[in-house]
Amino acid sequence: MKPEKPLRISRLIYSGLIFLSLAVVGTAIWRTSARQTKSAGIPQEVGKERFYQQLRKGVGSEIRFAGARSSRAEIKNSVDSVANFIYQRSSLNMGDETRQQFESAEQSVLSGRRARLSLDQLSDTFVEIMVDRLANLSDDEAEKAINTFRATPNGEVTSRASAKWGFMTRGELTKQVAAARQWSQRGDQSLKVVLRQMMTEEVRERVTYLSAALPEQFGRINAEGVTPLQALLIGYSVVTDDPLSDSQEDLNAQMAQQRMLAYRTREQAGYSGKAYGPNGDLFSTPAQLFFDKAAVHKLLESAEGGQK
Amino acid sequence: MRLRTKLLLLLVLCYVSFNGHCIVNSIDPCINHCCIGAGQPFGLFTVIYADGSPNFVGRYDANGRGIYDKSSLTHSCDFTRIVQGTVGNNSLSASPSSIDLLSPPSSGTITGQGMWATNGMPRVDYFQSNGYFIGSVSATSAASDGTWIVAPQPDLSSVYSGFYQLKVTYPTEEGFYINEVGSASIDCWNRDNPDSDGDGWNDVDDCYPYDASRWYCNQGGGCEYQTYREEMPCYEY
């Protein structure tokens, strides 16, 4: 008897390719979206509305962005809310210096002294961060990154929680990362073109659902661009593949249910106790590689480059 | 085919694959677990190989899709048959319901209904409130009408004060503990989670367990504390 899963659909392509957040470059691509909807057994519209509700409970309730008339204290609170949101979900910690930089950058943009980053600029910045990081990835970092992905029942890994970019073995991924590093070091334009396409897709996807579910917080980003803090949040979401949905309480309940089912003890290695990020209970990615001080500094630089 | 050509071809295929699709970005548990078709929502089940082992125990989700983990990468998700358990959400009562961790009782009684011992003694699984497993014990005696069981206490020597959940299951004819009865809670006390520096953060959550002025890992650099969860160092950006 064959189980319905693991989601293995017809492979459309196999080819070296990307990855973004995570050392992943290269991958097999399957068209899984239709399969996911089918396997979930719920009409897409119903599923979408449910997802929007989960977004409102997550990023919609737990983050407060400041506005044009906000005080410094309110801007500081908004930075703290984003930092806390990310930390609680992924164990990625915003340092004090970074907090101050974001407070300053956010204030500049909200007061109109700096322009918002367009979505194209945001995607370009993410590509630059990836290419730079890949070019400087050590063998040890690459190995750790690859091992951070949790294996599927078939022993393969996937860089996206939805597996929309497909699966590959750790051996295949190792080769792809090595190739990507080589291309990055050479400054290969083809790699950037492919990464740009993937990054644009990732950013556009998030912008689409965030603006639809939370128009007050994200409704204007399609037309006006993003503030530094919004850019950080989208970058975090892309790197960790955290959809930003569900409150921390909901995530805790989901993780508790998984632990109980798996009879997992607290001492068991490979699980951080957080939902996302490195060794995330729900989905694990080597996010720390692409979400570090250097990456955030580059993001802030791009934001500051948006002269009025 | 030259690399550049391959990449451009890939780019086109990417575009064709994704363009026009609104992919709701949510985690599908079937990515990292084995899944099977319809069953009773929230019920436990076990899948069995032809040789009788291993027996993967999983749970149906709200949509009746069964999700389970296999125990070894040397096995696939394939199986020969499924045994489904019964779903029970009974509210049970534990006695004692309050336990002094410095002198825990040797056994306890759980009362309620449906704790059948027909195919073997029911089992009591202990979990922390956040889902981490503590231990299991088998009942030593049970009422013929399923209204109570007596079971020894598991090893609570490494347990801290707090509420814990007890889940009772009883076995199928084949001995699989997938018939759920319900759960009870107990309040354990007299052994607080240590906070060595007294800063209000338990050692397990404190980057600097012996420095009351710091707890967060971005307060002065990396996180000293990595003895308990070595998989969770401090990632600062």
Side-chain angles (χ1 to χ4, degrees):
Chain A
M1 190 183 299
K2 282 273 184 189
E4 173 186 300
K5 253 261 67 172
L7 294 176
R8 197 115 215 184
I9 310 181
S10 62
R11 180 183 291 197
L12 280 186
I13 326 169
Y14 181 84
S15 160
L17 176 24
I18 353 182
F19 170 49
L20 130 69
S21 74
L22 335 153
V24 198
V25 177
T27 160
I29 293 185
W30 289 267
R31 291 179 63 169
T32 56
S33 56
R35 178 178 54 178
Q36 287 161 16
T37 303
K38 189 178 176 185
S39 64
I42 43 179
Q44 196 168 15
E45 286 307 311
V46 174
K48 192 185 288 184
E49 186 47 44
R50 184 183 300 166
F51 178 59
Y52 288 173
Q53 286 170 8
Q54 291 169 329
L55 280 170
R56 289 175 200 124
K57 289 184 74 178
V59 63
S61 301
E62 298 185 346
I63 285 181
R64 282 285 165 266
F65 289 114
R69 294 176 194 154
S70 296
S71 64
R72 282 194 82 91
E74 287 168 330
I75 291 172
K76 182 182 183 305
N77 286 341
S78 73
V79 173
D80 286 345
S81 74
V82 170
N84 191 51
F85 181 82
I86 290 174
Y87 176 69
Q88 293 299 336
R89 299 167 77 98
S90 70
S91 59
L92 298 167
N93 245 310
M94 185 186 284
D96 288 342
E97 188 185 347
T98 307
R99 279 176 200 253
Q100 288 163 10
Q101 289 171 335
F102 267 100
E103 285 169 30
S104 172
E106 193 75 356
Q107 186 158 41
S108 293
V109 170
L110 292 175
S111 66
R113 293 199 302 276
R114 301 276 182 192
R116 290 166 185 254
L117 265 185
S118 73
L119 298 182
D120 280 346
Q121 289 172 319
L122 185 62
S123 298
D124 286 341
T125 304
F126 289 161
V127 170
E128 280 179 39
I129 290 170
M130 278 182 61
V131 171
D132 282 358
R133 193 67 187 91
L134 283 169
N136 295 303
L137 202 63
S138 70
D139 289 342
D140 184 50
E141 285 175 326
E143 186 184 345
K144 280 182 181 165
I146 290 163
N147 289 331
T148 304
F149 290 110
R150 202 161 287 135
T152 67
N154 291 325
E156 295 176 311
V157 294
T158 178
S159 61
R160 301 283 82 181
S162 63
K164 67 182 182 186
W165 292 351
F167 301 88
M168 63 200 324
T169 64
R170 289 191 195 280
E172 289 166 344
L173 182 57
T174 301
K175 286 178 187 169
Q176 299 294 349
V177 170
R181 181 170 59 184
Q182 212 172 36
W183 297 339
S184 297
Q185 288 166 346
R186 285 204 309 250
D188 193 302
Q189 287 303 309
S190 304
L191 176 67
K192 288 186 179 175
V193 169
V194 175
L195 289 177
R196 179 70 161 69
Q197 167 67 19
M198 302 301 283
M199 197 55 58
T200 301
E201 194 68 45
E202 289 294 289
V203 170
R204 192 201 306 163
E205 180 185 343
R206 282 157 179 81
V207 167
T208 300
Y209 67 64
L210 286 171
S211 56
L214 299 159
E216 283 188 15
Q217 284 164 286
F218 295 97
R220 298 190 306 167
I221 59 177
N222 233 329
E224 299 179 9
V226 293
T227 69
L229 213 48
Q230 288 171 329
L232 179 78
L233 191 65
I234 291 173
Y236 157 75
S237 174
V238 171
V239 166
T240 57
D241 214 14
D242 176 352
L244 311 179
S245 58
D246 299 308
S247 65
Q248 190 57 47
E249 194 179 330
D250 292 338
L251 291 177
N252 288 341
Q254 288 174 38
M255 290 190 288
Q257 199 170 35
Q258 281 199 5
R259 290 168 192 143
M260 289 176 79
L261 186 59
Y263 286 84
R264 194 182 305 147
T265 62
R266 187 158 189 172
E267 291 75 16
Q268 189 172 332
Y271 294 89
S272 68
K274 308 279 188 182
Y276 301 97
N279 296 304
D281 279 33
L282 298 184
F283 189 65
S284 173
T285 55
Q288 76 282 8
L289 282 182
F290 293 87
F291 206 79
D292 58 7
K293 283 181 182 290
V296 170
H297 186 68
K298 198 174 239 333
L299 185 64
L300 282 164
E301 269 185 349
S302 296
E304 286 170 3
Q307 297 280 0
K308 265 289 206 190
Chain B
M1 194 183 299
R2 294 180 60 215
L3 173 63
R4 199 168 295 265
T5 311
K6 282 183 184 174
L7 285 168
L8 287 174
L9 173 63
L10 178 65
L11 180 63
V12 172
L13 287 169
C14 286
Y15 185 78
V16 170
S17 294
F18 292 116
N19 193 30
H21 290 266
C22 176
I23 302 169
V24 173
N25 187 359
S26 58
I27 289 182
D28 187 333
C30 294
I31 300 299
N32 288 310
H33 306 275
C34 300
C35 289
I36 56 173
Q40 188 178 11
F42 306 115
L44 287 171
F45 63 88
T46 187
V47 295
I48 301 166
Y49 272 145
D51 64 2
S53 65
N55 306 305
F56 306 133
V57 175
R59 186 182 293 279
Y60 291 103
D61 65 13
N63 301 310
R65 183 176 52 172
I67 300 163
Y68 64 99
D69 281 323
K70 62 200 181 73
S71 58
S72 161
L73 287 180
T74 59
H75 292 101
S76 70
C77 293
D78 293 359
F79 55 90
T80 55
R81 65 192 176 93
I82 306 170
V83 180
Q84 294 193 33
T86 55
V87 180
N89 291 313
N90 294 323
S91 180
L92 308 174
S93 298
S95 178
S97 59
S98 177
I99 292 176
D100 179 351
L101 289 169
L102 297 184
S103 56
S106 58
S107 65
T109 302
I110 297 175
T111 55
Q113 57 182 345
M115 294 179 280
W116 305 113
T118 316
N119 301 312
M121 282 293 172
R123 192 179 74 191
V124 187
D125 298 327
Y126 283 66
F127 297 93
Q128 293 181 4
S129 57
N130 54 11
Y132 287 113
F133 176 62
I134 296 171
S136 290
V137 290
S138 290
T140 49
S141 58
S144 57
D145 62 359
T147 56
W148 57 262
I149 58 172
V150 174
Q153 295 288 355
D155 178 9
L156 298 176
S157 60
S158 60
V159 162
Y160 295 119
S161 302
F163 284 93
Y164 293 85
Q165 190 177 17
L166 283 56
K167 298 196 77 169
V168 178
T169 54
Y170 65 91
T172 62
E173 284 182 1
E174 294 170 280
F176 301 122
Y177 282 85
I178 55 176
N179 292 320
E180 287 189 304
V181 180
S183 60
S185 67
I186 54 171
D187 179 14
C188 295
W189 55 281
N190 217 3
R191 190 189 295 132
D192 291 340
N193 204 339
D195 173 15
S196 300
D197 56 13
D199 62 359
W201 292 91
N202 294 327
D203 287 3
V204 292
D205 298 317
D206 193 341
C207 270
Y208 302 92
Y210 309 111
D211 181 348
S213 68
R214 298 184 292 176
W215 64 271
Y216 205 49
C217 72
N218 69 356
Q219 292 177 298
C223 187
E224 284 179 349
Y225 181 71
Q226 292 187 29
T227 54
Y228 190 64
R229 287 192 209 164
E230 62 180 17
E231 298 295 327
M232 197 184 81
C234 175
Y235 300 113
E236 187 174 324
Y237 61 89

